[in-house]
Every structure is written in structure tokens, then in C-alpha cells.
């Protein structure tokens, strides 16, 4: 078993963050989310309406819908996915995928920081 270095932990953390955000929030994944989720408008106490994701169907479709509506839940499963592929196929392709996701996560965090300063 490979020793988990601080660098690898940070790389996995950032890659998991980006992959989770991709599936839960990014527009490009709307077709996938729509297969598992319906969006219903709800009103809060201030009278503002907002879409609330509701899982579709039964069984595995419902289970995946429940995961996709929860960023924290998706994060656990995306982390598991990254750990499994890293263990099954260690090497430059897996490292490259995680590096791509990690650098993208850093870019996203910087962009968010910049946008909140404007």
C-alpha cells in the first residue's frame, strides 16, 4: 500500500472538490442531473422562490438523485471514486486526471475570491 503524502492528500482533496462541484452545480452536467432529479419551485419565509431538487424514480435512480442533491454526499462518493481509480490504475493517466481537476479547483477558488472582491 502506498504511503499517503501531504501532496497526494491535497491533490485528492482539490480533485474531489472540483469533481463534486462539476456534478452538483455545473451547467454542463444538467442533462445527467435531470435524469435523476426534478426541480420544484418552493417559497421561503421572505416570499422568494427557488428551485429545490427532488430525486426521481425508485431504486438506484432515486439513490443517485439523493446523492446529487447533496454536495457533501456527492463529495464522499467522488472521493471514493478517485481513491479507487488511483489504487486500481496508479500512474500518469490517473495522476494527470487528478492534477487537471485539482488545478481547475484552485482556479475556481481564485475566481470565486476575485468575484467576491469586485
Amino acid at each position: 500500500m502506498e504511503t499517503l503524502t501531504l501532496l497526494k492528500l491535497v491533490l485528492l482533496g482539490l480533485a474531489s472538490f472540483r469533481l463534486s462541484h462539476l456534478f452538483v452545480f455545473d451547467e454542463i452536467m444538467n442533462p445527467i442531473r435531470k435524469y435523476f432529479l426534478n426541480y420544484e419551485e418552493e417559497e421561503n419565509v421572505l416570499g422568494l422562490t427557488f428551485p429545490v431538487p427532488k430525486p426521481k424514480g425508485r431504486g438506484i435512480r432515486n439513490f443517485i438523485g439523493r446523492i446529487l442533491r447533496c454536495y457533501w454526499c456527492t463529495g464522499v462518493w467522488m472521493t471514493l471514486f478517485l481513491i479507487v481509480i488511483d489504487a486500481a490504475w496508479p500512474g500518469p493517466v490517473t495522476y494527470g486526471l487528478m492534477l487537471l481537476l485539482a488545478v481547475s479547483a484552485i482556479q475556481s477558488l481564485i475566481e470565486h475570491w476575485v468575484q467576491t472582491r469586485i
Side-chain angles (χ1 to χ4, degrees):
M1 182 173 194
E2 180 185 342
T3 303
L4 181 64
T5 64
L6 181 59
L7 176 61
K8 183 76 163 254
L9 181 63
V10 170
L11 188 69
L12 279 167
L14 288 167
S16 176
F17 163 73
R18 187 63 193 101
L19 197 55
S20 299
H21 196 280
L22 180 71
F23 275 91
V24 175
F25 299 112
D26 288 359
E27 184 178 337
I28 196 167
M29 292 301 194
N30 278 345
I32 292 173
R33 280 193 303 273
K34 284 182 181 178
Y35 179 76
F36 297 102
L37 297 168
N38 282 320
Y39 290 87
E40 299 174 8
E41 293 288 324
E42 290 191 7
E43 189 174 312
N44 66 13
V45 293
L46 300 173
L48 302 171
T49 60
F50 55 96
V52 176
K54 305 283 183 175
K56 286 183 179 179
R58 295 189 180 133
I60 192 75
R61 186 177 188 188
N62 185 274
F63 177 71
I64 293 172
R66 289 179 183 276
I67 290 171
L68 288 175
R69 72 179 182 170
C70 169
Y71 181 78
W72 305 110
C73 302
T74 303
V76 169
W77 289 99
M78 292 297 135
T79 302
L80 177 63
F81 169 74
L82 290 172
I83 290 170
V84 167
I85 67 164
D86 185 49
W89 299 286
V93 173
T94 302
Y95 177 78
L97 172 65
M98 284 194 256
L99 185 61
L100 171 73
L101 290 167
V103 172
S104 178
I106 292 168
Q107 182 275 328
S108 296
L109 294 169
I110 291 170
E111 181 62 26
H112 177 73
W113 181 78
V114 168
Q115 290 298 323
T116 59
R117 301 295 178 260
I118 293 177

